[in-house]
Amino acid sequence: MDDVIIIGGSFAGLAAALQLGRARRKVTVLDTGLPRNRFAGHSHGLLGHDHKPPLDILAEARQQLARYPTIRLLNARADSISGTIDDFSVLTGDGESLGARRLILSYGVADQMPDVPGFAESWGTSIVPCPYCDGFEVADQHWGLVWSGPPSHNYVRLYHDWTETLTVFADGHDIPRDIRADLARRNIPVVDGRIAEIAHHRGQITTVNLESGRNAAVDILFAHPRNKPSASLHESLRLATVNTPLGIALKVDERRETGTPGIYAAGDLANPAMASVTTAISQGATAGISAQQSMLV
């Protein structure tokens, strides 16, 4: 039996495994090899790895984990979970049954692309969600923002540190009059009407095309599509969730433990509104240390 099984082997899961491996705890990491940020060409803001492709960072992390004899990395999907603290059972897609005293869920979320031609093809290249991840590289260019609700007003103020040229696309949303007045005061135009297509060249946006026939050129488009957990294991476990502007997240305490004793969660699965590699690593490390300390006798 393992001390901990980690379901999801991207940044949060591997950070948890590192802490547990260094504590000489027996760990199995299950991963399907489909991290959320696989669409991004580079990862930014991660100390020591700034501007590296995220898949390269993960590959290097796995190589480093290989020196810890108690860590096992499996390319497998977790199909079901049963049991309770000190006696969990995980059934993999390969039919293997694994046991563990603790579980860490870090299988992340999947972004739900809108049914707009060109959107998915440009996602991660010229349609992005996070200015901290990509803003520096496109500073002082013409940014676009797809309005998605009240949080979008905060994004407008946030983007000011990177660019003075911003166009808001209402995309069918009814933007309140007082907010429109504030946008006008900031010299930020609002383009009404629904987006019909993203015209692009190999993922690099050229124009945002509206159903009205109007086209608007921007250099980069910021958008915040809703997301959902990339697996449903938390549903079968009946873990508590919280609603966020972008989707649901698992409810955890400061130690990253869910309401079910012995089950922890980290990364985008427990914080989808902050899609940050740095945050995922921090949360994963906390979950690993908390799981280890919970087994002390």
Side-chain angles (χ1 to χ4, degrees), residues 200-231:
H200 67 96
H201 178 68
R202 296 182 178 178
Q204 184 58 53
I205 189 171
T206 54
T207 58
V208 178
N209 301 341
L210 305 176
E211 291 180 348
S212 64
R214 178 181 177 182
N215 300 335
V218 295
D219 296 310
I220 192 164
L221 187 65
F222 283 78
H224 303 88
R226 288 185 64 81
N227 53 58
K228 66 177 183 179
S230 60

Side-chain angles (χ1 to χ4, degrees), residues 156 164 166-168 180 182-190:
V156 167
E164 297 290 339
L166 174 65
T167 296
V168 166
R180 284 181 178 267
D182 181 68
L183 296 176
R185 181 180 63 82
R186 299 171 185 272
N187 296 315
I188 297 173
V190 176

Side-chain angles (χ1 to χ4, degrees), residues 102-271:
R102 303 290 187 273
L103 298 175
I104 296 177
L105 306 182
S106 53
Y107 47 78
V109 300
D111 296 295
Q112 304 301 289
M113 299 294 104
D115 188 20
V116 173
F119 192 101
E121 293 83 352
S122 304
W123 182 248
T125 301
S126 60
I127 303 180
V128 295
C130 172
Y132 296 102
C133 303
D134 298 289
F136 182 85
E137 283 67 30
V138 293
D140 297 322
Q141 296 184 29
H142 187 172
W143 290 20
L145 169 65
V146 180
W147 199 267
S148 56
S152 296
H153 195 200
N154 291 327
Y155 299 144
V156 167
R157 294 193 288 265
L158 180 65
Y159 297 165
H160 180 76
D161 276 356
W162 286 275
T163 186
E164 297 290 339
T165 309
L166 174 65
T167 296
V168 166
F169 294 90
D171 197 28
H173 286 87
D174 184 15
I175 301 177
R177 184 177 301 177
D178 60 329
I179 293 180
R180 284 181 178 267
D182 181 68
L183 296 176
R185 181 180 63 82
R186 299 171 185 272
N187 296 315
I188 297 173
V190 176
V191 177
D192 288 305
R194 287 196 173 276
I195 297 173
E197 180 188 17
I198 303 296
H200 67 96
H201 178 68
R202 296 182 178 178
Q204 184 58 53
I205 189 171
T206 54
T207 58
V208 178
N209 301 341
L210 305 176
E211 291 180 348
S212 64
R214 178 181 177 182
N215 300 335
V218 295
D219 296 310
I220 192 164
L221 187 65
F222 283 78
H224 303 88
R226 288 185 64 81
N227 53 58
K228 66 177 183 179
S230 60
S232 58
L233 297 171
H234 60 283
E235 295 177 358
S236 62
L237 293 168
R238 298 184 178 180
L239 299 181
T241 60
V242 293
N243 289 319
T244 78
L246 295 181
I248 69 166
L250 296 194
K251 186 177 182 180
V252 295
D253 62 18
E254 66 279 359
R255 299 173 62 252
R256 314 307 302 174
E257 189 170 18
T258 69
T260 299
I263 301 181
Y264 301 78
D268 293 344
L269 180 63
N271 191 20

